[in-house]
Amino acid sequence: MKNTLKVWRAKKDITQEHLAREMEVTRQTINAIERGKYDPSIKLAFRMAKFFECSIEDIFLYEE
């Protein structure tokens, strides 16, 4: 799944570490999501969308 998480982080000027603390995951998890190596749980995706005040679809782009 593609995503624009790095762009959203840049808009808020926060590090992977800061976002990881807010999401209660590791920095490695955020890094893996940004690189497309790991798809977040639906719960984590909702938390991210709420944190960035956007929809899940604004961050994550589903590909078949």
Side-chain angles (χ1 to χ4, degrees):
M1 178 176 351
K2 289 189 177 186
N3 68 77
T4 58
L5 186 55
K6 190 172 185 175
V7 173
W8 284 96
R9 272 196 316 102
K11 286 180 184 181
K12 281 205 173 219
D13 193 30
I14 61 172
T15 64
Q16 287 181 344
E17 185 66 37
H18 179 100
L19 181 59
R21 280 194 309 270
E22 292 288 333
M23 297 297 112
E24 299 177 346
V25 298
T26 65
R27 185 200 57 79
Q28 290 84 353
T29 298
I30 300 300
N31 183 269
I33 292 169
E34 286 184 1
R35 292 184 6 230
K37 302 293 183 187
Y38 175 76
D39 291 335
S41 67
I42 193 71
K43 182 177 177 181
L44 180 55
F46 270 106
R47 290 183 75 202
M48 288 179 174
K50 184 175 180 180
F51 177 80
F52 289 114
E53 299 176 339
C54 65
S55 71
I56 290 174
E57 292 85 0
D58 290 335
I59 303 172
F60 298 100
L61 314 166
Y62 177 73
E63 297 178 320
E64 290 194 34

